[in-house]
Every structure is written in structure tokens, then in C-alpha cells.
Amino acid sequence: MALSHPSLFSTCAAYRFNPLLFSRRNRGINISHWSFRRFSPRFFTVVASENGIFTSPESAKSFDFTSEERIYNWWESQGYFKPSVDRGGDPFVISMPPPNVTGSLHMGHAMFVTLEDIMVRYHRMRGRPTLWLPGTDHAGIATQLVVERMLSSEGIKKAELGRDEFTRRVWEWKEKYGGTITNQIRRLGASCDWTREHFTLDEQLSRAVVEAFVRLHDKGLIYQGTYMVNWSPSLQTAVSDLEVEYSEEPGTLYYIKYRIAGGSRSEYLTIATTRPETLFGDTAIAVHPEDNRYSKYIGGQAIVPMTFGRHVPIISDRYVDKEFGTGVLKISPGHDHNDYLLARKLGLPILNVMNKDGTLNEVAGLYCGLDRFEARKKLWSDLEETGLAVRKEPHTSRVPRSQRGGEVIEPLVSKQWFVSMEPLAEKALRAVENGQITIMPERFEKIYNHWLSNIKDWCISRQLWWGHRIPVWYVTGKDSEEEYIVARNAEEALEKARQKYGEGVEIYQDPDVLDTWFSSALWPFSTLGWPDTSADDFRNFYPTTVLETGHDILFFWVARMIMMGIEFTGTVPFSNVYLHGLIRDSQGRKMSKTLGNVIDPIDTIKDFGTDALRFTLALGTAGQDLNLSIERLTSNKAFTNKLWNAGKFVLQNLPSQNDTSAWENILAYKFDMEEFLFKLPLPECWVVSKLHQLIDTVTTSYDKFFFGDVARETYDFFWGDFADWYIEASKAHLYHSESSAIASAAQAVLLYVFENILKILHPFMPFVTEELWQALPHQRQALIVSHWPETSLPRDANSIKKFENLQALTRAIRNARAEYSVEPAKRLSASIVANNDVLQYISKEREVLALLSRLDLQHVHFTDSPPGYAKQSVHLVAGEGLEAYLPLSDMVDISAEVQRLSKRLSKMQVEYNSLIARLSSPSLVVCREGS
């Protein structure tokens, strides 16, 4: 876009249409080539500009993305991210979902940072004390894995270091690399209060974690027990359901003979299983009670293969699927979640055949010590040799894999610490039911209710060294299941032990740590000072306002925060839950390294700028996945450029700094008063009225969390109304009006509308809007802390209708020019026909009409009846009671057009004759009569 060109807002296809936004308006084409004079350049800058932090559009061709970090650092240095409690009013508070300290920025992070920063910046501008509290999660498994791999590369094993030294090494790693993710979040423009940043293992949060454990245990809600868990053999720890990913994978279904005890050698039941190595843990054989094939065997016993004749009962239960395999199910309670529940219901014994490292134990007899997958192969080979193997066939099954290491997870019965969830879940269910908490989108309420209504106890212990050590101590020489002490620290534990067992007692702490999600569940209030409820931050900012996160962790994090918040503070931790969807590629596929479709946010920022990335991500709908493509990013980068060029145009057309009189005239306009608005010329009154409508619409959408609607409405107004129409129309008043008052009105409106556009867009596109804001005259504060536009401002519906008629007339003339291939530089004569009321306001804007439609101003006539040359003209109907006549002699070479139309008529006549001949064909007539 040539910046010296009078048409700064060209509508060439590359920049004209944003396919993402589906704008409803039929925007016009800029064909203005009028020469015009420029107002003398001037710079009105705030102190920041004078210090070299900001760049004006008058001195830069386009917005420089490298300035984003300078702007961000300036915001932070000025303290704009801190909440102004002295403002009073209801605070707006968000706790940032703590990313893993091991993490690097991905599009999921970019999504939550964008949405949360939009909320925070909007409410800050509304004048509310606003706190966005950041932090990171210690990520027990992930961080321990990273450090173990680092040590392994140095030839060091974790066990050789010991727990204390290994933990010290992890802290060293955290101090060196743990800030990567937070620095990348800053790069996205996150205006959170970094002076309040927390880490889940810092002193304050660790104190809160211990306190929570102790209180839950004292209420009987934490207990130790032996239950089925998800076990990771390589990590040597239990993992949460969230850390298990299921995938459909090709495998094998093995059919094995189980002989009937007391029967003949040919009498057996055939069982189908995908995990034959677990048969050593079988404690029953089950069939469906209504399966007539096997009813005679119920109550009998079967012999487990390769176990030297071990017998198990044959039972019936409706849990068995008659259609799967042979309809006979082996029950291995120690290695299958469903079998475990069935065994507990029926009182069956539980056998564990596996060691913690994934090898088989002594229960497996000759297979003891073999890896589970090696044992599977050897067992099948031995079954074939003994004639107990029937067949094997390909089978696709859901395989549980560790999210961290990718290995197959082993269901295993293990002694762990659990939280009893039902009493906590009841209160969390009521909180949503009675409206204390609103979940957006609403459809997730059903999912939330279903999960909490069917909740299982939570395994909170992990067999790791990195994390919050479980605050439980055992007495040396005593049964650990019965004789243990729960305390807030080692000194308190020892004192309790001495009181019960005497001065010479020795104690040792439970080696396990707590699930990372346990500390995360306390995040909204532990970060504000809890358990010290008298802390200033807790009193000022709890409960928080909104919890924004991905819908995929509604159960594992959001629901647990609600339960813990109610339990420990007596109130819900937040009143709104906003759930965003996943970011997918342009084809709707999940981003993965395997597919090679991952889009890196940092690389995207370098190529397109932070503002374009944020605007693109914010166009989604709550709870819906968003397809991201380079095309969309390119389109919104063009939007950033459009804003920049609009700012350039506005600045170039304001009076010089020393023109006091001109500035007094501009600043005298009070657009919040009807008497000023209604006196404006038609284009100015129209665009200000449309702006006031927009302010009301987007403010309502912001308050309802409809951020995609805000983006689309604002884009539509800026590009469609302001840039394509008003800026072009304003040139007639700026450069061709003989009235200084009209020119002054245009300048005032340009400045007023553009300032408000920057305010509305700032939460989405903070960097380019702040840069432009700082270049505008008479700014006394940063845009980030400026006041949000007032709502319910006056608008003139009549002027909107009138200008829409002018737009319709302009479009009709433009379309005619395009249809007749009129040269862009050629100016046309025209007769505008309408009733007197319409003519009055249309004729008053003849310069605007001529400029926008490329008419010859000296030969534009306004009349209430058709002109004498009507039959030799192109007749256009722009709307009811508004028409235009364009002389054909201006539009085309008449003789050439007659020849063209004659040829077309001849061609059509030939086609017509051909069709008549075919319709008259005897064969066609016979077919018609026969039918």
C-alpha cells in the first residue's frame, strides 16, 4: 500500500477479505484518485514516546513486531499489571492455570493466555481492581524425568545420588531452566502481576498443601489403603487418570483352553484374552447367567493353565459380555480395573503377579523374572506345545499409555493414600446446581454433574522424590498401616510420637510425595495466602472471579478446585468457569509432531506478530475446537497493517501542534451530547452513531464472555464502516470542502472514532493499539489503563438510514462501472432522481458521492424526474425512491456496444432455434405421448 497515495485503504483482494470473519457487509471498492493537499505534519506524543519506547505511524511504514517487548517492559515498569485496590469496587481476579515448569509454549498456552488477558485488560479499563495471578507447577513426574535423563547423559543414576542430593539437583535445574515458560508467556502480552508469581513448591504453597492434608485426614477424608491404581513400570509410580492416554492399537486376541476340573480331557472352556500373561492372577472364570452354552458349568471349577493344576471357581455375573470372544471371561482382579471391582463385590481373592518394574513375580512360577511382554510370548509358545492354545487373531483394543513416557500402563493393586471424594463432591454439585458457579458453555454442566455423581476416591500418593512429601511419619518397628502419625512438620510428628511411645521413639517419613494435582487443587486460595485467612490478598481477592482453562481438565483440576475451595474456605473459589476448546490444524486434526502439523507460537509471533496471533485465537467459541491455519494468521496480520495505515491517515490529517484555534475547534466537539451529534454532516453523524452502537454491542459481548463476537463486530466496523467508507468519505470534507467547520468536524470525528476503536481492540491486540495510542495527540495516560468507552451514547437512526441510502447509490454506480468495464480513471456524468427529501441530503453530500463513485462533479445533477437522455442511459435503482441515470455515451462506445449486443442476440437466436427443433423432433413427441 503506497502510503503517499490518496487511497490509503485500498481493497485489493489480498487484504480486502478476511475469510475467517465471514463479514456480512458488502464493502465498497475504493476508486478514489482525487489529488489532495496534506495538513502539515505534527507530533503529539506522551513522555514514553519521547523516551524512544514508541514509534509513530508517521515515521514507520508498518508496525514493527520487535517493539512488542519494549512496550511490554514499559507497561510492567510502570506498574500497570498490579491491581489498584484503592480504586474500590468489585475486584476482577483470575488465577492463571499454572503451566508445568518443564514446559515450552504451545498453542494451548497461547489460547489461555490470550483469553485471560482479554478479560483482564477489559476489566482493568472498566476501572475494576484487576489481578491476574501467575505461577508454575512443579510437575512431579515430568520434572523428575527431565532431570533423570540429564543425569543419565552424564552417566549418573538417581539411586547413586540419594534422595536429598537428587532433589538438590532438581532445584538447580529449576532455577536454571524453569523460567522459560514464563518468559514465553510474557511474549504473548500477558498483563499478569509478576510480583505475585508463585511456584507450587514454594514455601507458602507447601505450607498450604500440608495444612490441607492434615485437615482432611483429621476429618477422616484421607486414608491409606490397598487398591487398584494405574502403575507406570518405568517411572515406578502410580499415575492419575489424567496422565493415562488411551489409543486404539492393533494387537492380538489369544484363545486359551481352561480344562474343567473333574471332567474329561476333552472338556474345557475357551477363553479369549489380550493379556495371557495375567492368567497367573486368575481367581475365577465368569459367564453370563443367561448364556445357555455354559449354564451347566456354573458352580464348578476350572483349571488355570500352566499353574500346576490350580483350581478357580466358575461363576455367573451379568457383567460378562456374551458377544465378546467366546462369552467366557477370566477374572484377574490384580490386573484389571473391572475385574478388581467385580472381585470386591463377590469377595474373590486378589492375586498380584507383577513386580513394580513390569516383570512377573513368584506367583508366575517358571515365568518369574521375565518382562511382561517377554512372558506373553513364552507363555503362548508353551501353551501351543501343551495343546492348550486354540488360536490367536488380530484384534484392535484401547491401550492405556503413560502420557509422560509412552509405555503401556499396568493396572496394579498397590498400597496408596486416597481422598474420600463423595462428601466433597456433594457440595461441589450443589454449587453449580444453585447457581453459585456458572460453567460456560452450559453443556459442560451435564458432564460435570455426571462425573461428580459417579466419582471415585482419589489416589493422591506418588512414588517419586520430587514433590510435596506426604506429611506422615511411621514409628520404627511398628505396623505402618496402623501406627502412623500425621503432622505439619517433623518436630510436631516427633513430639506426638514421644507422647504416645516414649522419649526413645524413632520415626521416619513416608517416602511418597503427593499427586501434583493435589497442590493444584488449592491454587485459587493458596496463592492468596491461605491458610492465613487474614492475609491482605486473601481478604481483597478471594474468591476469584473467573477460572479459564481447557475443557479437557474440567474433572481433574476444575472440579477438584471447587471441592477443595468449598471445603477449606467455606465458599466457591470462583463464580465463573470458562472452558476453551483445543487448537487444531487447518484440516481439523490434532497437532502432533508425528503429523508434522505443529504451529509454534514463538515462530508465529516472529512472522505475524503477537496481535495477529491473539486476534486469530480469540475468534473461537467457548468450548469449541479452533482450526488454525497460516492463511488465517496472514489475514489478521493484514488487519494489523490496516490499523496502522488508518492511524497514519488520521495523524496526517490533524492540525499542526501550534494551530491552537484548530485544536480548540476539534476539542469543542462533545459526541456524548445529542445536540452536537445531530449537527454533524451526514457521514460524520453516521459513523459516530455506528460507533456508539458498536460500543454497546461489544460491551455486552465482553460481559457475556462472547469474545469471538467482539472480534467480528469490531473488525466489521473498523474495516467495513470506518476504513472503507468513512475514511474515504472524509477526504471530500478534508480536501474539497470550502467550509472550515466541516473539515474540523471530519478531523474531530476521525480522532474520536479511531481512539475508541483502539480502546475496543486493545484487549485483543494490545501492542499495535498501544503504539498507535501513544502517537495520538493529547494522550495523558497509557491505553492499557485508559477508561473504557461510555455506553448508551446518543445515535441518530435517521442519519444511519440516510447514509445507507448513499452507500446503496454508490454501490449501484460502482457495480455499473464494473459491469461496463469503465476505466477506473474516467469520471462519469450522472442524474440522481429522488423525491425532494432524499435529494436534499444526497445533494448536500455531492462531493462525497462524486468522490466515492468517481463522478464528474460538474456534471452531476439532482432532480425529481428522469433526465431527457434516460433512454440512452444506464438506469440504476439504488433503493425505493432513489435512482440514478448514467449516460451510455460516458459508459461505452455505443457503436461497439451495438455490435456486441447484435452478435450476442444472433448467438442466442441460433441456440433458441436449435432448442425448438429438438422439441419438435418426432421421436421426442412419441416419447411424450407414450409417457
Side-chain angles (χ1 to χ4, degrees):
M1 243 182 269
L3 300 180
S4 60
H5 198 284
S7 177
L8 294 176
F9 299 89
S10 167
T11 53
C12 75
Y15 290 75
R16 180 65 202 81
F17 174 61
N18 185 336
L20 178 59
L21 297 172
F22 304 103
S23 174
R24 297 184 299 274
R25 296 203 174 101
N26 176 20
R27 303 193 180 105
I29 301 172
N30 170 22
I31 52 176
S32 170
H33 280 268
W34 288 50
S35 60
F36 60 92
R37 59 188 172 84
R38 297 217 179 181
F39 289 90
S40 56
R42 97 266 42 81
F43 287 92
F44 290 98
T45 55
V46 295
V47 175
S49 302
E50 295 170 355
N51 289 340
I53 295 169
F54 297 95
T55 304
S56 170
E58 291 190 318
S59 60
K61 182 177 180 181
S62 61
F63 177 58
D64 184 2
F65 303 148
T66 62
S67 66
E68 293 174 349
E69 292 184 75
R70 290 199 308 273
I71 296 171
Y72 186 89
N73 292 336
W74 180 74
W75 282 329
E76 188 174 7
S77 69
Q78 299 299 306
Y80 293 141
F81 299 163
K82 298 178 181 179
S84 301
V85 183
D86 55 349
R87 285 186 177 188
D90 183 29
F92 182 85
V93 185
I94 296 183
S95 298
M96 176 185 290
N100 288 349
V101 71
T102 57
S104 291
L105 197 70
H106 56 65
M107 280 299 174
H109 296 126
M111 173 67 93
F112 89 68
V113 170
T114 296
L115 293 173
E116 292 176 26
D117 198 40
I118 285 173
M119 299 180 202
V120 167
R121 288 178 184 268
Y122 167 68
H123 286 283
R124 185 185 289 123
M125 294 174 75
R126 292 301 301 267
R128 297 176 67 176
T130 302
L131 172 61
W132 185 13
L133 201 151
T136 49
D137 192 289
H138 65 277
I141 294 176
T143 307
Q144 182 159 320
L145 267 179
V146 168
V147 177
E148 282 187 29
R149 289 167 182 165
M150 180 188 73
L151 293 172
S152 178
S153 67
E154 300 172 6
I156 303 173
K157 293 183 179 180
K158 181 185 71 171
E160 295 171 355
L161 292 177
R163 182 168 195 147
D164 291 343
E165 177 61 18
F166 176 78
T167 303
R168 188 187 69 79
R169 295 285 188 101
V170 180
W171 275 108
E172 280 184 358
W173 180 92
K174 187 265 178 186
E175 294 304 316
K176 186 174 182 179
Y177 301 106
T180 299
I181 186 68
T182 55
N183 289 332
Q184 292 173 332
I185 287 174
R186 289 169 181 265
R187 191 69 185 84
L188 283 164
S191 60
C192 41
D193 185 357
W194 293 105
T195 65
R196 286 176 164 88
E197 181 181 4
H198 279 288
F199 177 54
T200 49
L201 277 178
D202 67 27
E203 184 178 350
Q204 159 60 29
L205 271 63
S206 295
R207 185 165 70 95
V209 166
V210 170
E211 185 66 28
F213 187 99
V214 172
R215 292 190 188 185
L216 289 173
H217 183 270
D218 289 348
K219 289 185 70 172
L221 294 176
I222 283 184
Y223 63 93
Q224 189 180 45
T226 302
Y227 295 94
M228 176 71 69
V229 297
N230 300 308
W231 185 263
S232 172
S234 66
L235 297 174
Q236 294 280 290
T237 181
V239 295
S240 72
D241 291 340
L242 181 65
E243 293 158 332
V244 178
E245 294 181 340
Y246 289 87
S247 59
E248 296 287 334
E249 298 183 17
T252 304
L253 191 61
Y254 300 88
Y255 290 80
I256 304 170
K257 295 178 182 178
Y258 280 59
R259 290 200 171 99
I260 303 299
S264 66
R265 292 187 61 83
S266 62
E267 195 172 11
Y268 58 85
L269 295 175
T270 301
I271 290 175
T273 178
T274 58
R275 303 166 67 211
E277 69 278 6
T278 62
L279 64 78
F280 300 107
D282 291 354
T283 59
I285 299 299
V287 298
H288 195 279
E290 297 176 359
D291 194 334
N292 295 328
R293 294 175 297 175
Y294 309 116
S295 57
K296 67 179 181 179
Y297 297 114
I298 297 173
Q301 291 193 322
I303 303 172
V304 180
M306 312 304 291
T307 61
F308 302 101
R310 184 165 65 86
H311 290 27
V312 294
I314 301 171
I315 63 174
S316 66
D317 196 277
R318 294 185 180 278
Y319 162 68
V320 179
D321 181 359
K322 292 189 292 184
E323 305 303 321
F324 178 78
T326 62
V328 183
L329 183 69
K330 60 190 286 296
I331 306 299
S332 308
H335 299 280
D336 182 273
H337 287 283
N338 293 319
D339 291 0
Y340 175 76
L341 295 175
L342 184 63
R344 292 192 66 185
K345 182 180 77 171
L346 300 177
L348 296 172
I350 296 173
L351 282 179
N352 174 29
V353 305
M354 206 163 294
N355 298 312
K356 297 293 179 69
D357 62 357
T359 60
L360 271 59
N361 61 24
E362 64 278 1
V363 175
L366 297 174
Y367 302 88
C368 177
L370 290 178
D371 173 78
R372 52 185 168 160
F373 300 116
E374 292 176 5
R376 181 180 300 175
K377 293 178 182 177
K378 177 171 175 49
L379 175 60
W380 182 251
S381 175
D382 292 347
L383 287 169
E384 288 180 317
E385 285 187 15
T386 57
L388 295 176
V390 179
R391 69 180 187 279
K392 61 179 180 179
E393 61 187 32
H395 176 75
T396 299
S397 58
R398 292 181 74 239
V399 178
R401 289 190 176 274
S402 166
Q403 187 186 62
R404 300 300 175 190
E407 66 170 336
V408 175
I409 289 295
E410 191 64 42
L412 203 65
V413 174
S414 174
K415 187 171 76 171
Q416 304 286 341
W417 288 95
F418 295 85
V419 177
S420 180
M421 301 301 288
E422 279 191 21
L424 302 173
E426 289 175 7
K427 297 176 183 178
L429 279 166
R430 287 199 300 271
V432 172
E433 183 181 341
N434 64 25
Q436 289 178 276
I437 295 176
T438 300
I439 298 177
M440 296 168 282
E442 187 178 357
R443 70 177 185 274
F444 283 101
E445 284 188 14
K446 292 182 179 179
I447 301 172
Y448 172 90
N449 292 337
H450 176 77
W451 186 73
L452 286 180
S453 299
N454 297 275
I455 197 166
K456 298 176 183 178
D457 286 355
W458 175 15
C459 175
I460 57 170
S461 48
R462 297 290 180 268
Q463 291 64 53
L464 302 170
W465 285 355
W466 173 248
H468 296 102
R469 191 90 172 259
I470 290 179
V472 170
W473 283 260
Y474 302 106
V475 177
T476 303
K478 300 288 184 180
D479 184 347
S480 61
E481 288 194 17
E482 298 294 333
E483 305 289 338
Y484 65 82
I485 297 164
V486 176
R488 290 170 176 81
N489 52 57
E491 291 75 15
E492 181 183 324
L494 184 58
E495 180 62 29
K496 287 184 176 181
R498 284 173 175 171
Q499 290 175 6
K500 188 172 182 180
Y501 300 104
E503 289 296 320
V505 68
E506 294 183 2
I507 61 174
Y508 62 95
Q509 190 172 359
D510 193 307
D512 290 353
V513 300
L514 287 165
D515 179 12
T516 299
W517 291 103
F518 189 87
S519 56
S520 297
L522 314 177
W523 186 253
F525 48 94
S526 64
T527 53
L528 295 173
W530 187 88
D532 181 6
T533 55
S534 64
D536 287 344
D537 276 1
F538 188 85
R539 289 188 296 104
N540 291 329
F541 301 118
Y542 189 82
T544 65
T545 312
V546 179
L547 187 282
E548 192 285 330
T549 190
H551 64 68
D552 53 329
I553 56 174
L554 173 62
F555 318 134
F556 305 104
W557 188 42
V558 179
R560 286 169 177 168
M561 281 189 289
I562 294 172
M563 288 186 279
M564 294 300 184
I566 296 172
E567 172 66 23
F568 294 120
T569 71
T571 185
V572 294
F574 31 75
S575 51
N576 297 283
V577 175
Y578 183 101
L579 302 172
H580 66 250
L582 304 177
I583 307 294
R584 299 185 178 275
D585 70 6
S586 58
Q587 300 176 44
R589 300 175 301 176
K590 189 175 180 179
M591 291 188 184
S592 70
K593 293 180 180 178
T594 303
L595 293 175
N597 61 348
V598 175
I599 301 178
D600 183 85
I602 299 301
D603 291 340
T604 303
I605 287 171
K606 292 176 182 177
D607 294 336
F608 300 96
T610 303
D611 293 319
L613 173 60
R614 287 170 57 119
F615 194 79
T616 303
L617 294 177
L619 283 161
T621 303
Q624 298 292 332
D625 293 351
L626 177 71
N627 293 354
L628 183 64
S629 66
I630 297 302
E631 291 74 21
R632 291 185 170 187
L633 291 164
T634 301
S635 180
N636 288 315
K637 180 182 178 182
F639 182 44
T640 306
N641 292 335
K642 191 78 166 180
L643 272 175
W644 189 259
N645 286 323
K648 184 186 295 289
F649 179 87
V650 171
L651 288 167
Q652 288 176 338
N653 288 282
L654 292 177
S656 61
Q657 184 175 7
N658 55 12
D659 193 342
T660 307
S661 176
W663 276 105
E664 287 178 353
N665 291 335
I666 289 175
L667 298 178
Y669 282 92
K670 306 297 181 185
F671 297 105
D672 58 346
M673 301 174 65
E674 283 189 355
E675 54 266 35
F676 277 88
L677 178 66
F678 293 170
K679 290 178 182 178
L680 290 172
L682 180 59
E684 282 68 29
C685 187
W686 166 77
V687 77
V688 172
S689 295
K690 293 281 284 185
L691 171 68
H692 291 171
Q693 287 181 339
L694 175 73
I695 291 170
D696 286 359
T697 301
V698 299
T699 300
T700 299
S701 293
Y702 266 118
D703 290 338
K704 291 181 177 179
F705 302 93
F706 295 165
F707 305 121
D709 290 349
V710 174
R712 283 181 283 271
E713 291 286 346
T714 309
Y715 177 98
D716 204 40
F717 172 79
F718 168 75
W719 202 311
D721 293 335
F722 184 67
D724 281 2
W725 283 100
Y726 179 67
I727 281 185
E728 294 304 314
S730 73
K731 294 174 184 177
H733 291 172
L734 291 169
Y735 313 138
H736 303 289
S737 174
E738 296 179 0
S739 169
S740 60
I742 291 179
S744 179
Q747 292 171 322
V749 167
L750 280 170
L751 183 58
Y752 173 72
V753 175
F754 192 64
E755 282 181 346
N756 281 284
I757 288 171
L758 295 181
K759 287 184 177 183
I760 293 169
L761 279 174
H762 178 71
F764 288 81
M765 311 175 78
F767 293 109
V768 68
T769 53
E770 185 74 76
E771 186 94 292
L772 289 165
W773 177 266
Q774 296 292 343
L776 294 177
H778 302 292
Q779 302 307 337
R780 293 293 177 260
Q781 60 182 348
L783 178 58
I784 188 176
V785 290
S786 66
H787 295 295
W788 187 256
E790 295 293 328
T791 56
S792 302
L793 294 172
R795 71 286 312 267
D796 185 0
N798 192 35
S799 290
I800 293 175
K801 178 62 178 175
K802 288 178 179 178
F803 194 80
E804 286 174 351
N805 284 339
L806 181 62
Q807 287 177 304
L809 180 59
T810 302
R811 289 193 189 99
I813 296 172
R814 288 174 171 177
N815 290 339
R817 293 181 65 107
E819 184 179 349
Y820 284 87
S821 302
V822 178
E823 290 294 327
K826 186 171 184 178
R827 310 204 183 283
L828 305 178
S829 301
S831 288
I832 310 301
V833 179
N835 60 47
N836 289 331
D837 290 340
V838 176
L839 286 177
Q840 185 176 2
Y841 66 78
I842 293 289
S843 62
K844 187 179 288 187
E845 298 300 335
R846 65 182 68 213
E847 288 87 359
V848 173
L849 177 63
L851 180 64
L852 297 178
S853 306
R854 289 187 180 265
L855 301 179
D856 184 349
L857 189 57
Q858 304 304 317
H859 294 89
V860 177
H861 304 287
F862 298 88
T863 177
D864 59 0
S865 59
Y869 59 82
K871 292 184 178 180
Q872 287 80 42
S873 65
V874 176
H875 179 208
L876 306 174
V877 179
E880 188 175 350
L882 180 58
E883 304 172 25
Y885 292 85
L886 308 179
L888 271 173
S889 57
D890 279 6
M891 304 285 284
V892 296
D893 181 332
I894 294 180
S895 61
E897 183 66 8
V898 168
Q899 286 184 351
R900 186 183 70 83
L901 291 175
S902 296
K903 289 180 180 178
R904 185 177 177 187
L905 180 61
S906 299
K907 182 180 179 181
M908 293 175 67
Q909 185 65 52
V910 170
E911 291 174 352
Y912 173 77
N913 293 339
S914 174
L915 288 171
I916 292 298
R918 290 171 63 188
L919 289 171
S920 302
S921 168
S923 59
L924 187 59
V925 172
V926 170
C927 288
R928 287 206 305 269
E929 291 175 350
S931 63

